[in-house]
Structures are given as C-alpha cells and as structure tokens.
Amino acid sequence: MASIQTAVQVMVDKLVADMQGEQPLSAEEQALVSNAITKLADNEKLEQAVVAVAESHIDEATTALQQAAQVGQTSLQQAAQTLNDNGTTLEGKAAKLDRLDTMAPSLARVEALQGRAFTNQIRPVFGVNSIETHSTSANLARSTSVFAVYDHSGETYLVRPSYTNGNSQEQSRLEYLKLLADGSGKSTTHSSFVYSNAFAQNPTSTTYLYGVSAYLPLGSKDNPADIEYDIVYSTQDSQSTNVANYGGVYVRSQGFTSMSKPKQNLNARDQYGVPSITSHSYFDVAVLYDNQKHCLVMVDESTSLLIEKYRDGNVITTTAIANEAELQAYVDAGDFTTVQFIYHYLRHPHGIRRLTGQEAQMSSAAVSYYGYFGIFNDTVKMGGNKYSAHYRFTEDLKLEPVNFIYANNTQAATTANTTSGTGEVMVALESMSGELLGMYSYRSNPESAGYDAGIMSTAIGCMNPYSHTGLINEHYTYNYYGLGRTCRAF
C-alpha cells in the first residue's frame, strides 16, 4: 500500500506542473500544502484510510477511519480526565491560597515582633579605629559634647565643640566631620581654632568663640531635592560679647556676607513642640528647618519677610510675618523641625547626678549620671551651651530630633595600686513617635591599678541607628587624653 506522502507528492508535482501557466502556486502555497500533508501523515490510521480509499479498498478505509476515531476519542477522554484531575488539585491549592488573606495580619505581627525583639537587644559597643592622637597633655583633651545628624545612609555628621579656646592646640579644635557608615574612620570637613580675641568674618582656621553652629542637609535654591551637608554658623557681626552685636546666621559655603539676622524674639514651635530661639544670644540659637524645601527659614529683622537659606544662597520670599501668631500659623501649615545649634566651646554636656538628683556638668570620672538629650515631658534639652543634640535624616528626607537617653554606673578608684574604677554606660535611641531605634552598652576598665575608667556618662558620644556605628570617647584614662575612636555595635 503506497504511503500518503508519496501520493501527496505526486499530487503536488501535478499541481505544480498544471499551475505553471497563468496561475502558478507560490512558494508559500506549496509550503502550506506540504506542511498540511505532513501533519496528516502523523496519524497512521488516517494515512491507512486515505490510502485505502485511493486504492478503492473501502472496507479497509472504514476500519482505519473507525480506529482513527477511536484513537482520537481515547485521547480526548484521557485529556478530559487529566483536566479534571488538575482542576481538583487546583481547587485544593486555591483553597489553601485563600487562607493567606486571613494569615497576612498575623504574619505582619510576627515580623513586627521579630523586628522589635531585634531592636530591643542591648548591643555591646566595640572600638574600631582611633581618630585622634593619644597624649598625656591635657591640651589635647577633646570635648565629650556633640551635635549629631544620623543620615539614613549610615553616615553620621558631627559638630565637636572645642575643649579649649585661645590657644593653637590642634587636637582641641572645633571640628566638623563625617563618620563613615562602616565605622572605619572619619572624614574631616573643616576645623578651626577658637578664640575670644580674634574675630574672623569667614573663618578658615579661626572661629570666634561667641557663636554656635550646626551641620545640616541643605538643598539648592534652584533644586531643593539636590541635598548636601553643609556647616551653618550663628555668630556676632563684630568682636564683642555684647548681645547687641549679634549678627545672624550664614552657611559656610556662602560666606559671612550671606548672613541673615532673624527678627528678635519672634518664635514658633515646630511639630514636636520645640520653639525656635531668636533672643540674639550668642550661645543659644534655634532655627526652623523646612522638611519639604530642605532649607532654614527665618523672619528678617529689617523687612519682616521670610528668608529661606539654602547651601548655595538665600531666597527672599514675598511672605511677610507681622507677629508670632502669623509665624506659628505658617509653621503649622507646613512640615518644620527646629534645629538647636551647639555652642562652639562646650567641654562637657550637663546631666543629672544620681546621688543628688541635681543637674551638673558631666566632668567627673567618679560620678554616675543619667538623663537625656532631646525632648521628654515637654522639656527640651538639646544643644546650646549645656547639652548635646541628636537628629536623624530619614529615608523620606525628613530631619527630626532623636531622644538620646543614657545612664551610667561608675565604680570609683580608691588608693593607688589597690582598687581600680570600672564603668559602664547604656544608651537608648528613641524616635519622636516613641519607636525604639536601638540600645547600646559600653564597659571600660583602666589599664593601671588605682585609676578610673574614664567619664563613662558620655563615653558613647553618638551612635547611628541605621548603621550601628558611632563614636567612643572616655575623655581621660590613666593620664591619657585623645581617646576618641570609631565604634561598631553588633
């Protein structure tokens, strides 16, 4: 019995020959005919039926066609059964998937509890790299006060006030620096000697003592989203301790001539209840920061117009503010954070002595202190000439204060060469919404008998809750100063 391919090939050849005239088959049409016949040839029974018809074997053709139909029916039945089985399986899986909707809240709660448990762990702090020169000279002592902004990148931007003034001790300079996110070291942006008898209008190596400063993320006046960190000064306009000589605020990269003098005693409270401070005092200044435009905002002393201070210049708006009620309404309608600057000369911040309950400068290695820097129970303790200040710049580019809560226990040393003092400090960082951002601890022992462990209350100078890296500074241990070093918590 001839194969169907042979029969078809004869037909194609004949068609080609017959159609060579007026209407020949195209190459595409020939391919279609050949492909169709090839598909038919895959069914052996159908091939037998077609060939049988061609050879006039009708009975054989009928049988072959019936068998072909049976094969097709069997295949269809098998396919239907497979679909039915798969449908049953899918229905079962779908029912299980439906349960995910009811499980989602529970899963979210489990994740939240796991995250909270992770944050609630008290992490020990380890020193990594020294960022200062160790020395037995007290001239190289470093301040334990800081103004810190914790960037969401993990980097920390610091103002470290000068420990001394009126001298040229390199180590004790007023310093503006960036701590790297991995805790490997620092990058110093600028540092200055601090003098009370040398007034520099645009300080390069010398800064006037009677002033405060901050290190802030500032946008560009043409593009507020173009944010970079820059130093902001608030200082006198001439050499004098008299508050009448207060000059105003300027961004370092713009220079002294860009200074803006805020209208005196015209203040407003931000969303956290922190007031701006425009008393024209050289040691206590607080300025509003716009979280949408990433600039400082103040009312000009002479024109009563709002001035926006960016890192590349000022924008004098057409908005006039006549009184505190109008300024407060303007602040309430926006998204503002009050930035409390820190005094250039602040050796140690203030805290509460455990035994007396009285606030005092935390300068003793033999005393236990506790307290906070931030806002608690409507009491603000940030910056100025008494406190450290801690802020964070969040993922959504918002500057907000952070509560830096601390407590230390100190065992004082006794007779030399007998009992040494030990110490430990614990720190908790809290957001303004009450979220615990991290808890850290650091322990210290002196390296020689009869000595204290250092000033432990401020030993953890700062700690970035995004990268868990920061600064350790016990200030003084066994006749050595310059003990500042980067640190990490694990």
Side-chain angles (χ1 to χ4, degrees), residues 44 89 133 137 178 187 247 286 297 321 399 403 423 471 480 486-487:
E44 182 181 357
T89 302
T133 302
S137 172
K178 175 177 70 175
S187 173
V297 176
I321 300 294
L399 185 69
N403 279 333
L471 173 70
Y480 273 87
T486 60
C487 64

Side-chain angles (χ1 to χ4, degrees), residues 452-472:
D452 296 308
I455 302 177
M456 294 306 297
S457 55
T458 52
I460 300 179
C462 65
M463 183 62 67
N464 190 309
Y466 295 103
S467 59
H468 306 296
T469 59
L471 173 70
I472 293 176

